[in-house]
Amino acid sequence: MYKGFSLLRPIFFFTSFFVTLHLVNGDLSYSTPEEMKRGTVIGNVAKDLGLDLRTFVSRQARLDFEGTRKRYCDINLNTGDLMTSERMDRESLCGKKPSCVVKVDLVLENPLELHRVSIHVQDVNDNSPKFRENLIEMEIRESADKGNRFSIEEAHDADIGQNAVQRYNLQKNDHFILSVDNNKVELVLDNTLDREKQKEINLLLTALDGGSPQRSGTVVIHVTVLDANDNAPVFSQAVYKASLPENSPLDTILIKVSATDADEGVNGDVTYHFGHVSDDEVNVFFIDPKSGEIKVTGVIDFEESSSFEMRVQAKDGLGLTSYAKVIIDVSDVNDNAPVIYLKSLTNPIPENVSPGTEVGIINVQDRDSETNRQVRCSIQQNVPFKLVPSIKNYYSVVSTGQLDRELVSDYNITITATDEGSPPLSSSKTVQLSVADINDNPPVFEEQSYSAYVSENNKPGSTLCSVSARDPDWRQNGTVVYSLLSGEVNGAPVSSYVSVNGDTGVIHAVRSFDYEQFRSFKVHVMARDNGSPPLSSNVTVSVFISDGNSFMTELVPKAAHGGSLVSKVIAVDADSGQNAWLSYHIVKSTDPGLFTIGVHSGEIRTQRDISESDSMKQNLIVSVKDNGQPSLSATCSMYLLISDNLAEVPELKDISYDEKNSKLTSYLIIALVCVSTFFLTFIIIIMGVRFCRRRKPRLLFDGAVAIPSAYLPPNYADVDGTGTLRSAYNYDAYLTTGSRTSDFKFVSSYNDNTLPADQTLRKSPTDFADPFEDLDASLESFFATKWNVNPFIIPAVPKLSLPAPPLAHTHIFKPPTPHHTNQHISTYTNHTLIHALC
């Protein structure tokens, strides 16, 4: 009989399987029988939503199941089919509920779209009717009247509807018939019993469902014929109802059932038992057989089961029974904190995203019900992101401001979800979000412009200066490469003069420079990053070439006090207005703390008293800048000798070559050769000068003598006390005929702020020769020591009396202007002017 039904079962599944679809307010609904194999197609979601498969895949379609429930179905992204992925047992999912619906969320991203998919699980006749016991023992007195009814516990079938128990069959016998009314099964005594004829009666009761194929269950009823007990227990209520909160403590008394039996003695003793209950209910509740109290013995979780329905049996001492129903409703307690699920996240996020960009999607779930299920979400920290509520409990994480990776490169976004329960429960989740770099910062040079100073006849490849630019971007966006911009210097490409190291920014000379050809030039250096597209910035580098064949020297008395005036630098700018406002600065000095220069006056003064520890040779490089845009500048070099008289002055060439000690040997050899070669020439020149001086003695007494221009440097500017100079100074000039190393020595000052004049020369004609005699002796000693040759005597020269400014020493030079970009910087002194011998 059952074998035939089992053969028809597969045919039934395929013939009874159907899918219905209706789309209302964005919802999809499907129907499928339970117990279908994995991979069975329920429906095509993509087709029902009107989406092509490429859109379906690109929008990352997926199914979200609430909580930790099993994934009973899944989506095939290649076909759009909704398929079963787990065994769906309607009885486990819904029990006796007439309708069993599995709800799942279909999520589509970009933009976020949510569809509620309802899968109606149809019942299949996969459960047979089953009695709680295989054998029912009954004792009936033979005195029982015809028509007496004896209750039999109905069979249980986990299926519903037509597949549940539909009818009962009682094996044909002589004493009992079966009465079924509203699922109440009773044995009806049709003929009186005669214990003497038949002491025991065995009846076979069969329960049949209405499924196809039909299933059945049987139980054997063993009737023992007795003599007296003809009253069964009677419950006080047909249905008992109770409620309790979830998580109630163990041994909590839920309800007490009560039944009475009219019989006396053993026939009236009633005991209580659970009828047919599931395994979960057996582990959760316990009934006291004597008192009828039902207690809690396990964990009650509203989220697992919100209600219980049980059958309670009352049985007297001789086996007569009756049944009552107990219904237990479980009330929800806020015992579940919200759970935050990160569904998607764009990480890292570019720093140039516009405000309002969606960077992530979160879903918040709370297993509680009603008010306890309502959740509020927020972002706690002060970060440029916010939560935007979307469909159901979905939220979009959206940027609210402009991001800057150079300021903040990583964000820890803490999302907090709080429910509406009492007391409220909350949970947090931290989302780490990185900001991706965008090449939005060009390299920036550390200075607005650079200046390089180099002496002529430099070595090719020597370093002129170094430029440096910083780029706050990351990796290749922040890697700076330096290069020269195309241009020309004196008609030749700038690359033929200088080169720049692309990695370090060090600028090197490509060739040797000649001061007589040009004295300054400008190059433009570009700093470019390796971003895409690359960003760049430019800077101007001014290269100044100093004359390697001449230098200017000043004498500073050893007894000079702090604040004493040493010299003054005067610059002339051909521009007018604010473009001609000049400022002076010392850019390099041997002892930075010894001398200072007036920013606007150009006066060079001592900052402190001269000490014995100070170097005799002091080198100053003075820069003057105008106030134009861009600012133009010029420089001059000064050498200060801390000495009281010319006899103490060392070989002057050594001063200009302090920084070239590596070539000292070569220069000494050349100097010795020069001295040896021209020694006789020097003797002849000296003798001629002495002879000329004896023939013209009156020159010593002239107040002013015209000096040939051959003895003066080019572009010499006379200073006579006009302009900003307040009074006149007297200068004594000592010149050697035809010599390029003539000495100018400052004699006296009429200003108290100038250097002491205790070393000045006397001006009377009779005393004029003495200093020359001392000078001759000094020079004799100088040449004997330095050159190891016979000294020569510098003849006396006419005394030159010139009007002088109030300052001890005055240097006049012109900085370059937009119309004189390569103008020579000339420096003159009325105190001491010394040129190299070679």
Side-chain angles (χ1 to χ4, degrees):
M1 172 181 179
Y2 294 100
K3 182 176 181 182
F5 285 141
S6 63
L7 293 175
L8 294 174
R9 183 176 180 181
I11 300 175
F12 165 77
F13 282 153
F14 288 101
T15 56
S16 63
F17 172 76
F18 66 95
V19 177
T20 61
L21 167 69
H22 63 278
L23 182 62
V24 179
N25 296 327
D27 289 349
L28 299 175
S29 180
Y30 299 90
S31 295
T32 181
E34 63 173 331
E35 303 294 343
M36 296 301 290
K37 294 181 179 179
R38 293 183 182 180
T40 301
V41 177
I42 299 176
N44 192 293
V45 178
K47 179 179 180 182
D48 297 336
L49 291 177
L51 300 175
D52 58 56
L53 294 180
R54 288 180 298 177
T55 303
F56 203 64
V57 174
S58 63
R59 294 185 64 182
Q60 301 181 18
R62 64 176 182 272
L63 296 179
D64 281 352
F65 290 80
E66 294 184 358
T68 58
R69 297 178 62 182
K70 294 182 179 179
R71 296 184 63 86
Y72 291 105
C73 55
D74 208 340
I75 295 177
N76 187 332
L77 295 178
N78 295 325
T79 61
D81 291 334
L82 178 66
M83 303 182 301
T84 59
S85 59
E86 290 285 346
R87 170 179 171 267
M88 286 190 289
D89 185 7
R90 192 206 63 79
E91 290 73 35
S92 298
L93 291 172
C94 304
K96 284 290 187 178
K97 292 181 181 179
S99 175
C100 185
V101 180
V102 175
K103 295 184 177 180
V104 62
D105 292 333
L106 173 61
V107 181
L108 299 174
E109 295 186 9
N110 193 24
L112 177 63
E113 185 176 350
L114 179 67
H115 296 274
R116 172 57 66 88
V117 179
S118 298
I119 302 174
H120 296 266
V121 181
Q122 296 178 343
D123 185 43
V124 174
N125 190 24
D126 57 343
N127 293 282
S128 300
K130 185 177 181 182
F131 291 91
R132 186 171 67 89
E133 298 175 349
N134 293 328
L135 177 64
I136 300 176
E137 294 282 351
M138 299 184 65
E139 295 179 346
I140 304 175
R141 286 191 177 274
E142 60 179 341
S143 59
D145 296 333
K146 183 181 179 181
N148 284 356
R149 293 176 177 267
F150 305 95
S151 296
I152 303 296
E153 182 180 2
E154 66 268 26
H156 175 75
D157 193 334
D159 297 324
I160 62 172
Q162 190 68 24
N163 294 327
V165 176
Q166 298 296 319
R167 60 191 180 90
Y168 294 86
N169 287 335
L170 181 64
Q171 183 182 5
K172 187 175 181 180
N173 61 88
D174 297 330
H175 300 281
F176 297 92
I177 62 173
L178 187 66
S179 174
V180 180
D181 184 15
N182 195 22
N183 284 337
K184 184 177 182 181
V185 180
E186 294 178 321
L187 286 178
V188 180
L189 186 59
D190 189 46
N191 294 311
T192 59
L193 299 176
D194 187 353
R195 184 175 179 277
E196 287 71 26
K197 289 183 178 181
Q198 191 174 2
K199 184 179 180 179
E200 295 179 349
I201 303 174
N202 288 323
L203 304 175
L204 181 63
L205 179 61
T206 301
L208 300 171
D209 61 22
S212 177
Q214 190 178 49
R215 293 176 177 269
S216 63
T218 60
V219 65
V220 175
I221 303 173
H222 179 74
V223 179
T224 301
V225 181
L226 300 177
D227 282 338
N229 188 24
D230 55 354
N231 292 292
V234 177
F235 280 97
S236 60
Q237 296 177 217
V239 177
Y240 292 88
K241 292 185 178 182
S243 63
L244 78 163
E246 63 174 330
N247 302 326
S248 295
L250 302 181
D251 294 331
T252 299
I253 298 177
L254 174 62
I255 197 173
K256 181 178 181 180
V257 298
S258 177
T260 59
D261 194 317
D263 294 326
E264 294 181 357
V266 177
N267 295 332
D269 293 336
V270 179
T271 57
Y272 303 94
H273 308 275
F274 282 127
H276 185 277
V277 293
S278 65
D279 294 339
D280 294 336
E281 293 168 342
V282 170
N283 296 328
V284 173
F285 301 105
F286 167 78
I287 187 169
D288 191 310
K290 296 296 183 182
S291 65
E293 290 180 346
I294 300 176
K295 298 180 180 181
V296 177
T297 58
V299 178
I300 299 177
D301 189 355
F302 174 85
E303 286 70 42
E304 294 294 334
S305 182
S306 60
S307 65
F308 297 92
E309 182 176 324
M310 300 175 291
R311 300 279 288 178
V312 177
Q313 178 193 67
K315 182 178 181 181
D316 61 20
L318 296 180
L320 295 180
T321 59
S322 62
Y323 296 89
K325 183 181 295 186
V326 178
I327 298 176
I328 302 172
D329 292 326
V330 180
S331 60
D332 184 37
V333 173
N334 190 29
D335 59 342
N336 292 282
V339 180
I340 302 173
Y341 296 96
L342 181 63
K343 296 300 182 180
S344 66
L345 180 67
T346 302
N347 195 15
I349 179 174
E351 62 177 326
N352 63 344
V353 297
S354 58
T357 301
E358 181 181 89
V359 300
I361 298 174
I362 65 167
N363 176 245
V364 182
Q365 298 180 12
D366 194 318
R367 297 183 63 201
D368 295 320
S369 63
E370 297 179 355
T371 305
N372 297 332
R373 187 184 180 91
Q374 302 300 317
V375 178
R376 302 188 311 272
C377 277
S378 62
I379 294 179
Q380 300 298 327
Q381 297 102 324
N382 185 21
V383 295
F385 299 96
K386 66 177 181 179
L387 291 178
V388 178
S390 186
I391 306 169
K392 199 179 176 183
N393 286 333
Y394 282 86
Y395 295 83
S396 296
V397 182
V398 177
S399 62
T400 59
Q402 191 65 46
L403 304 180
D404 190 347
R405 191 205 64 84
E406 287 68 43
L407 296 178
V408 181
S409 59
D410 294 280
Y411 291 95
N412 288 327
I413 305 172
T414 300
I415 302 172
T416 302
T418 306
D419 61 26
E420 299 288 346
S422 180
L425 299 178
S426 63
S427 62
S428 299
K429 186 178 186 66
T430 300
V431 178
Q432 294 183 343
L433 186 63
S434 299
V435 181
D437 185 48
I438 297 297
N439 191 26
D440 56 348
N441 291 283
V444 178
F445 284 94
E446 295 181 351
E447 299 182 16
Q448 293 183 352
S449 62
Y450 292 84
S451 297
Y453 303 93
V454 59
S455 299
E456 65 174 340
N457 301 324
N458 59 293
K459 280 187 176 182
S462 60
T463 300
L464 300 181
C465 68
S466 176
V467 298
S468 179
R470 296 289 182 267
D471 193 323
D473 290 324
W474 195 46
R475 290 187 176 175
Q476 70 271 14
N477 293 335
T479 302
V480 180
V481 178
Y482 303 93
S483 61
L484 291 176
L485 294 179
S486 59
E488 292 186 354
V489 176
N490 287 350
V494 68
S495 60
S496 64
Y497 288 88
V498 295
S499 64
V500 62
N501 189 305
D503 297 326
T504 63
V506 176
I507 299 177
H508 300 278
V510 175
R511 62 167 65 175
S512 178
F513 301 137
D514 188 353
Y515 177 81
E516 283 67 34
Q517 291 184 359
F518 57 91
R519 300 169 185 179
S520 66
F521 62 92
K522 293 183 179 181
V523 297
H524 300 283
V525 179
M526 179 180 69
R528 175 183 56 82
D529 59 31
N530 283 331
S532 179
L535 301 178
S536 63
S537 60
N538 302 333
V539 72
T540 300
V541 179
S542 300
V543 181
F544 299 98
I545 304 170
S546 61
D547 190 0
N549 296 323
S550 64
F551 56 92
M552 304 302 171
T553 305
E554 300 285 354
L555 284 180
V556 180
K558 294 181 179 180
H561 298 287
S564 298
L565 181 64
V566 175
S567 180
K568 179 174 181 179
V569 178
I570 297 178
V572 179
D573 195 317
D575 294 321
S576 61
Q578 68 172 5
N579 294 331
W581 296 352
L582 305 180
S583 60
Y584 302 87
H585 307 275
I586 295 177
V587 297
K588 184 178 180 181
S589 64
T590 302
D591 187 349
L594 185 55
F595 299 100
T596 182
I597 189 170
V599 176
H600 302 294
S601 65
E603 295 178 349
I604 299 177
R605 295 178 180 270
T606 57
Q607 295 192 72
R608 56 175 173 80
D609 295 346
I610 302 296
S611 64
E612 293 295 334
S613 61
D614 291 328
S615 175
M616 184 179 184
K617 305 173 184 179
Q618 297 289 331
N619 182 9
L620 297 182
I621 296 179
V622 178
S623 171
V624 59
K625 294 182 179 180
D626 61 22
N627 198 39
Q629 292 294 331
S631 177
L632 301 177
S633 63
T635 61
C636 70
S637 298
M638 295 184 61
Y639 298 95
L640 305 180
L641 297 178
I642 301 176
S643 176
D644 290 332
N645 55 65
L646 290 175
E648 297 179 354
V649 178
E651 171 58 43
L652 298 179
K653 290 184 179 180
D654 295 341
I655 298 175
S656 62
Y657 291 95
D658 281 344
E659 298 177 358
K660 303 178 182 178
N661 290 332
S662 63
K663 298 183 179 180
L664 180 59
T665 303
S666 300
Y667 287 132
L668 288 176
I669 295 173
I670 296 174
L672 289 174
V673 173
C674 292
V675 170
S676 300
T677 304
F678 297 103
F679 179 76
L680 293 176
T681 306
F682 291 157
I683 297 298
I684 296 172
I685 294 174
I686 292 172
M687 296 294 291
V689 171
R690 285 183 174 272
F691 178 77
C692 293
R693 188 180 62 176
R694 291 192 182 98
R695 295 191 60 182
K696 295 181 179 181
R698 288 181 58 85
L699 291 176
L700 296 175
F701 304 97
D702 292 342
V705 178
I707 301 176
S709 60
Y711 293 104
L712 299 179
N715 300 328
Y716 172 75
D718 187 15
V719 180
D720 59 359
T722 61
T724 60
L725 307 181
R726 296 172 296 178
S727 61
Y729 274 62
N730 288 334
Y731 292 80
D732 290 345
Y734 295 87
L735 304 176
T736 59
T737 305
S739 173
R740 300 298 293 173
T741 60
S742 300
D743 295 342
F744 280 78
K745 183 175 182 181
F746 173 77
V747 177
S748 64
S749 170
Y750 299 107
N751 192 326
D752 293 339
N753 293 331
T754 61
L755 294 173
D758 56 350
Q759 301 297 328
T760 56
L761 298 177
R762 294 183 300 275
K763 303 181 180 176
S764 64
T766 58
D767 296 335
F768 189 79
D770 293 338
F772 282 94
E773 294 176 359
D774 295 339
L775 178 61
D776 292 343
S778 299
L779 291 176
E780 290 175 4
S781 175
F782 172 80
F783 277 94
T785 301
K786 291 292 182 176
W787 303 100
N788 196 21
V789 297
N790 293 327
F792 62 90
I793 299 174
I794 300 177
V797 295
K799 175 181 177 182
L800 177 63
S801 297
L802 299 174
L807 300 176
H809 318 75
T810 303
H811 299 274
I812 303 177
F813 63 97
K814 298 181 180 182
T817 67
H819 302 289
H820 307 80
T821 56
N822 292 322
Q823 185 174 3
H824 175 51
I825 303 170
S826 300
T827 307
Y828 305 96
T829 175
N830 292 327
H831 178 62
T832 305
L833 176 61
I834 302 177
H835 293 281
L837 293 174
C838 296

